[in-house]
Amino acid sequence: MSRFGLTYLFFMFLCFGLNTIEAQTYNTGYSKDSLQIKVYTEIDYVNREAKDIRLLKVFCDYCTDAQISKIGYGALRRAHAERYDPKNVLENGTKKLAIIIRISKEDFKEIKNDSI
């Protein structure tokens, strides 16, 4: 193999190695030490005013009733905070929101110990 071919091969492996290291450091954020739970809510609007906010479903197969209740309450608070965000407001009708809740595993375990 020529000197050019060896140099090219060396730089290919170097770039591949750097990309692998970068991908590993990217995944060390919240995803390794937290859970992600999806919650669906609805907001009813009449004349651009939010009249009602409802919790539709908490997607958590491994949660207890107490955990589902607290996660649902947190999602309702977030929906309430976002009710007048311009991208959510409707003239008249119902806006469905999908809310993603990220919670650390330690905090999730504490929900089990708390009573409602």
Side-chain angles (χ1 to χ4, degrees):
M1 194 175 233
S2 70
R3 185 173 180 92
F4 175 75
L6 288 174
T7 306
Y8 179 74
L9 191 61
F10 171 75
F11 282 114
M12 273 185 41
F13 282 122
L14 181 66
C15 290
F16 177 73
L18 290 176
N19 285 339
T20 305
I21 291 170
E22 181 181 341
Q24 288 174 350
T25 57
Y26 177 74
N27 289 331
T28 59
Y30 67 85
S31 61
K32 281 194 174 183
D33 64 341
S34 68
L35 301 170
Q36 182 172 311
I37 301 167
K38 183 185 271 189
V39 181
Y40 284 158
T41 59
E42 281 185 344
I43 305 173
D44 289 332
Y45 289 96
V46 176
N47 296 327
R48 301 183 62 84
E49 289 287 325
K51 295 298 179 187
D52 188 28
I53 301 174
R54 287 184 304 281
L55 177 69
L56 295 180
K57 181 148 177 79
V58 177
F59 291 95
C60 185
D61 295 335
Y62 45 83
C63 294
T64 64
D65 289 339
Q67 291 167 333
I68 288 174
S69 177
K70 286 203 174 187
I71 291 168
Y73 180 71
L76 284 174
R77 284 190 329 208
R78 289 186 189 185
H80 185 265
E82 293 183 21
R83 71 190 185 279
Y84 291 122
D85 188 357
K87 65 182 179 195
N88 294 332
V89 176
L90 298 174
E91 183 68 36
N92 290 309
T94 301
K95 175 71 176 182
K96 294 182 180 184
L97 294 177
I99 297 174
I100 305 296
I101 295 180
R102 292 186 180 97
I103 184 169
S104 70
K105 291 179 182 176
E106 291 78 27
D107 292 341
F108 185 74
K109 289 177 187 175
E110 290 298 318
I111 294 174
K112 289 182 188 176
N113 299 333
D114 288 347
S115 61
I116 295 179

